[in-house]
Amino acid sequence: MYRIFKLTLPLFILAPLLFACATPEQSAKQETNPQTIPETVLYVCESGPDVNPRWGRRAAQSVMLEGWKNVENKNGEKAAQLFLSALLIGPERPDAYWGLGVASHVAGFTTETMKTCFDMAVRKLPDVSNLYTDYGLALLERDQLNEAVSTLQKALELDSNNLLAHVWMSKVYVKLGDDEKAQYHLETAEKLEESLKK
């Protein structure tokens, strides 16, 4: 049985198993959910999954790792499917909402969907600097510059040595035309990078 949980099951195998575990009320509710991946992501990030988690931590962890691999490979839609699965199969994983935010951005889902997922992640993980850094980068890449500044500032409040937050903040300020602040964050990032080499 342990061996089964070590495997990463494809979504087409996993989904029927998950819905078979649902109560009739949950199954009926699930049938009314949106059918497209972006709409499903938005729905789950707004209200959480319809099915109570049933399988356990190992299976959810395996699916999460596969989701992050898909993010790295720029396969955002597949990553989103995997992060949705992680929410359904294990104890609620607040980091799955973080993954859904990143996957939504990579997949090119609407800005509303991306923000909804990141906002849920922030509510569940309010003290994780790297979460705000990823959120800030997504906002930067979507030209939501003022929101990117406030999000990256939060990352730096939580960890003033967050190298990537300084890098992204520098890029935001370049786009905003504030060369002085851009230079400050770039120099800070360079100093942090040097200190990591020591």
Side-chain angles (χ1 to χ4, degrees), residues 104-144:
S104 294
H105 174 62
V106 170
F109 297 168
T110 66
T111 300
E112 176 193 10
T113 299
M114 179 205 68
K115 286 181 176 181
T116 301
C117 294
F118 272 119
D119 289 343
M120 178 66 86
V122 164
R123 282 194 298 280
K124 293 182 175 290
L125 299 166
D127 298 324
V128 179
S129 179
N130 288 336
L131 167 58
Y132 292 94
T133 303
D134 285 351
Y135 194 1
L137 173 60
L139 291 166
L140 164 64
E141 290 180 347
R142 290 182 180 230
D143 288 323
Q144 307 283 313

Side-chain angles (χ1 to χ4, degrees), residues 175-191:
K175 282 189 165 191
L176 288 172
D178 191 334
D179 295 336
E180 187 177 320
K181 288 182 180 177
Q183 187 64 32
Y184 166 78
H185 286 286
L186 182 60
E187 288 173 3
T188 303
E190 289 171 348
K191 288 176 188 172

